[in-house]
Amino acid sequence: MKKHNFYAGPSILPQETIKATADAVLNFAGTGLSLLEISHRSKEFDAVNVEAQQLFKELLEIPEGYEVVFLGGGASLQFCMAPFNFLNKKAAYLKTGVWAKKAQKEATLFGEVIEVASSEDKTFCYIPKNFEALVPADVDYFHITTNNTIYGTELHKDPDVKVPLIADMSSDIFSRRIDVSKYNLIYGGAQKNLAPAGLTFAIVKVDALGKVDRKIPTMLDYKTHIDAASMFNTPPCTSVFAALQTLKWLKAQGGVAEMERRKVVKADKLYSEIERNKLFKPTVIDPADRSYMNICWIMNDEYKELEKEFLEFATAQGMIGIKGHRSVGGFRASTYNALPEESVDALVATMKEFEAKH
């Protein structure tokens, strides 16, 4: 039976990425050595590192004056690293989920933090309206989390504000076109839409660095990693290699514009079934706030006793990873770039079959 991978992260990768990485683990670039044991200073891996950074820039149309760096520590380390480098006196944050809340908490260690708006009052099931008008003009930056994996909300466009943006794009990077020039920093963990766990990406506006009064530890200074071309310390070589394979796949498939088209098709199919099916209901009511990457739903009140049965039924049909986050329950299907449309079709068919059964 075919397995359909809806895990939220680590998550589905293109088959091309998995095969090329598996081959490289056995014999990397004809060296006779495994990717797991190759020196990160070798000319073969250096070529991988350089090409991955170049493709990153090409696919996102990153303008001059920005650099892409590969780091460790996940997005959680960036919650600290971003204010360390960019918060001089005051920053603004939009609180739309658990990860946004954690990022905001870390920033309070470095300066004044303005909470522009929050959706915590309704368990983060919506995006606050008109938040852009509430961003103070005198902040060093405005931080957003573009997609909220746990609660299934998403910002579908770059905010229109008069201050630099910083964004956590861990789970929707390469799924829509971005005006990178609006941002001082875009960062994310790669394990949701790009590569295996262990790799963090950061797109940094170079001339925005060096503006804070504090001293920055060497490892937490973006300039350190830019100057060393992501080689200041040993990078996660296997994850960088896998990321390059995914970037090649993205380009071959038609790039970000094609991913944007596909994600809407997949999400529309699943949201339509959730709303049609008498057993289920969406957790995010306003379609404008719904995530295209993490689609969340629960049983209708009169069918709550069927939740465990549906999860077991769907798993038996090959639907893997649809259990909702432990903090909210229900169900979640992550429809990242690498997930084929046929997997969404299979999930929809499973939901219809379960409805007919009851």
Side-chain angles (χ1 to χ4, degrees):
M1 177 188 295
K2 179 177 174 57
K3 303 292 186 181
H4 301 277
N5 184 356
F6 293 98
Y7 277 128
S11 53
I12 190 167
L13 291 169
Q15 284 300 305
E16 292 86 342
T17 296
I18 294 170
K19 184 179 185 306
T21 305
D23 289 346
V25 166
L26 296 176
N27 183 358
F28 171 56
T31 61
L33 299 174
S34 170
L35 176 61
L36 301 176
E37 62 185 353
I38 198 77
S39 169
H40 66 294
R41 299 292 181 186
S42 66
K43 64 180 176 56
E44 290 85 3
F45 183 76
D46 182 64
V48 168
N49 188 50
V50 169
E51 186 178 1
Q53 292 175 36
Q54 290 173 341
L55 261 180
F56 224 103
K57 292 179 178 180
E58 178 185 336
L59 286 165
L60 291 178
E61 299 179 347
I62 298 174
E64 291 293 324
Y66 286 79
E67 292 297 338
V68 174
V69 289
F70 298 133
L71 308 167
S76 293
L77 182 59
Q78 297 302 300
F79 298 163
C80 154
M81 200 165 167
F84 226 141
N85 284 261
F86 293 106
L87 201 170
N88 198 35
K89 293 183 178 179
K90 184 164 57 175
Y93 277 68
L94 181 67
K95 191 197 292 184
T96 51
V98 166
W99 307 117
K101 184 176 181 178
K102 289 184 176 183
Q104 181 174 319
K105 179 184 176 183
E106 290 298 295
T108 62
L109 301 174
F110 300 93
E112 182 182 355
V113 172
I114 307 297
E115 185 179 290
V116 166
S118 172
S119 54
E120 192 170 15
D121 62 323
K122 294 184 179 178
T123 323
F124 300 120
C125 68
Y126 70 98
I127 299 292
K129 305 305 179 190
N130 304 315
F131 66 83
E132 293 159 308
L134 303 175
V135 178
D138 62 342
V139 295
D140 298 313
Y141 64 80
F142 175 43
H143 182 283
I144 57 173
T145 303
T146 52
N147 184 74
N148 300 288
T149 55
I150 294 175
Y151 302 98
T153 62
E154 185 177 8
L155 293 167
H156 298 295
K157 64 181 183 65
D158 304 314
D160 185 15
V161 294
K162 299 187 187 314
V163 299
L165 290 166
I166 289 181
D168 176 356
M169 294 191 183
S170 294
S171 49
D172 62 350
I173 193 70
F174 296 109
S175 72
R176 69 173 177 89
R177 286 159 286 192
I178 306 162
D179 183 357
V180 176
S181 68
K182 290 187 172 185
Y183 296 83
N184 276 354
L185 172 69
I186 297 169
Y187 67 85
Q191 71 274 10
K192 297 180 184 295
N193 224 356
L194 181 63
L199 175 67
T200 307
F201 64 84
I203 305 166
V204 187
K205 186 174 184 178
V206 178
D207 69 8
L209 296 172
K211 304 295 174 64
V212 296
D213 298 330
R214 70 181 66 86
K215 292 183 178 180
I216 305 173
T218 304
M219 270 295 290
L220 298 180
D221 191 336
Y222 288 114
K223 193 173 187 304
T224 298
H225 303 284
I226 290 170
D227 290 347
S230 299
M231 292 283 191
F232 178 75
N233 69 315
T234 308
C237 297
T238 303
S239 293
V240 173
F241 180 89
L244 173 59
Q245 310 317 307
T246 301
L247 294 168
K248 288 179 176 178
W249 175 84
L250 282 166
K251 184 175 180 178
Q253 295 295 308
V256 174
E258 176 60 15
M259 295 301 108
E260 191 166 14
R261 185 196 69 78
R262 291 182 188 180
K263 75 174 184 181
V264 174
V265 172
K266 290 185 291 186
D268 282 352
K269 281 188 173 185
L270 189 46
Y271 280 123
S272 294
E273 176 58 23
I274 293 167
E275 292 186 322
R276 184 210 64 79
N277 195 306
K278 68 180 181 181
L279 303 182
F280 306 113
K281 62 181 178 181
T283 57
V284 179
I285 304 305
D286 188 345
D289 296 341
R290 291 175 181 168
S291 172
Y292 290 122
M293 296 285 102
N294 307 100
I295 297 168
C296 300
W297 74 99
I298 56 177
M299 308 298 297
N300 265 315
D301 293 343
E302 61 267 41
Y303 297 106
K304 281 190 179 298
E305 74 279 1
L306 296 176
E307 182 171 314
K308 182 180 178 183
E309 183 183 342
F310 173 68
L311 185 61
E312 292 173 349
F313 178 80
T315 302
Q317 301 296 313
M319 308 303 130
I320 307 301
I322 66 165
K323 185 177 182 180
H325 190 271
R326 60 188 179 277
S327 65
V328 295
F331 310 100
R332 172 177 58 177
S334 296
T335 55
Y336 297 130
N337 289 338
L339 185 82
E341 189 178 340
E342 68 179 276
S343 290
V344 173
D345 292 338
L347 178 54
V348 167
T350 297
M351 294 165 76
K352 289 179 175 177
E353 186 177 348
F354 191 75
E355 179 191 32
K357 183 180 177 183
H358 290 276

